[in-house]
Amino acid sequence: MTSTTGKLTTHVLDTMHGAPAAGMALHLYRLDGDQPLLLKSLSLNHDGRADGPLLAGADLLPGRYRLVFGVADYFKSLGVPLPEPAFLDQVPLDFGIADAGLHYHVPLLASPWSYSTYRGS
């Protein structure tokens, strides 16, 4: 039996400014069937994180998920001049949760021109 103590978290670092991406918009979807199901929308706090887990306990189920980060709007809000259309706008990250009893941390390192991610701890 799988434990229900798992959680999903994220953290975004603005690599252009060397700082947390405070205020970046974030949307979390569950990918189950033909239409993604929006589970949560929020703005990241002063540390570039959600104020708590995106999903935890019984709300974290095995399956496919998508995080969508509002990269272009974040950099525009800081006065960074971007082309129209911006090279990166919304950055979607699709990932799977196989064991709902584990901690899944999905960080994003972002600039107006690039991003990277990994499974964090």
Side-chain angles (χ1 to χ4, degrees):
M1 183 170 154
T2 300
S3 166
T4 58
T5 59
K7 63 183 175 179
L8 171 63
T9 58
T10 192
H11 184 205
V12 182
L13 295 175
D14 168 347
T15 58
M16 179 179 191
H17 297 103
M24 182 179 284
L26 174 71
H27 305 286
L28 171 64
Y29 296 87
R30 180 163 171 86
L31 304 176
D32 188 17
D34 294 337
Q35 289 292 349
L37 173 65
L38 179 63
L39 300 178
K40 191 172 282 192
S41 293
L42 56 100
S43 292
L44 299 177
N45 67 20
H46 69 281
D47 197 32
R49 300 174 188 269
D51 288 329
L54 299 172
L55 295 173
D59 292 332
L60 182 67
L61 302 171
R64 293 174 45 239
Y65 292 86
R66 175 178 294 152
L67 286 169
V68 180
F69 300 89
V71 171
D73 286 345
Y74 164 77
F75 283 106
K76 286 178 188 175
S77 76
L78 296 178
V80 175
L82 300 178
E84 188 57 46
F87 180 69
L88 294 177
D89 187 2
Q90 301 279 319
V91 172
L93 296 178
D94 291 1
F95 60 97
I97 292 180
D99 184 344
L102 298 178
H103 179 189
Y104 286 80
H105 184 64
V106 184
L108 183 74
L109 306 174
S111 82
W113 310 106
S114 66
Y115 67 91
S116 64
T117 190
Y118 54 95
R119 177 158 179 206
S121 58

